[in-house]
Amino acid sequence: MSQVFSEETHRNLLARIPHCTGREVSDWLRTVDEGPALFRFEEKVSWLRHEHNLAYGHAKALIHEYDLRRAARKLL
């Protein structure tokens, strides 16, 4: 997996996504969930960037958050 931002940077990026994109993080996470079944981290980031015209940092933060939440669901 690609190097991930620090926790603080990750949270700051997530907080800015609604302002920069006009969509809430939860909407983006649904988009990723409903998107193509890509396996690699960078493939997912690339898909978000090109399909939805997101900045690299925002796409990376969204995929990281998606993976964190998916892992947390598996632990329950």
Side-chain angles (χ1 to χ4, degrees):
M1 176 157 68
S2 179
Q3 181 182 0
V4 188
F5 300 116
S6 71
E7 183 65 26
E8 180 182 1
T9 301
H10 176 68
R11 293 288 155 217
N12 288 338
L13 281 166
L14 287 179
R16 292 207 31 84
I17 286 173
H19 172 74
C20 294
T21 67
R23 292 177 61 186
E24 294 297 320
V25 170
S26 59
D27 293 338
W28 283 113
L29 296 176
R30 264 193 306 283
T31 298
V32 172
D33 195 45
E34 295 167 356
L38 302 170
F39 294 103
R40 298 183 62 208
F41 184 88
E42 287 297 331
E43 289 175 324
K44 295 175 194 176
V45 171
S46 182
W47 173 76
L48 268 182
R49 291 184 67 212
H50 294 102
E51 188 70 24
H52 297 282
N53 200 32
L54 286 177
Y56 178 74
H58 291 148
K60 191 172 176 179
L62 283 167
I63 297 302
H64 181 60
E65 185 67 17
Y66 177 81
D67 288 347
L68 287 173
R69 292 183 186 196
R70 188 182 67 206
R73 284 192 308 257
K74 287 183 180 181
L75 292 175
L76 297 176

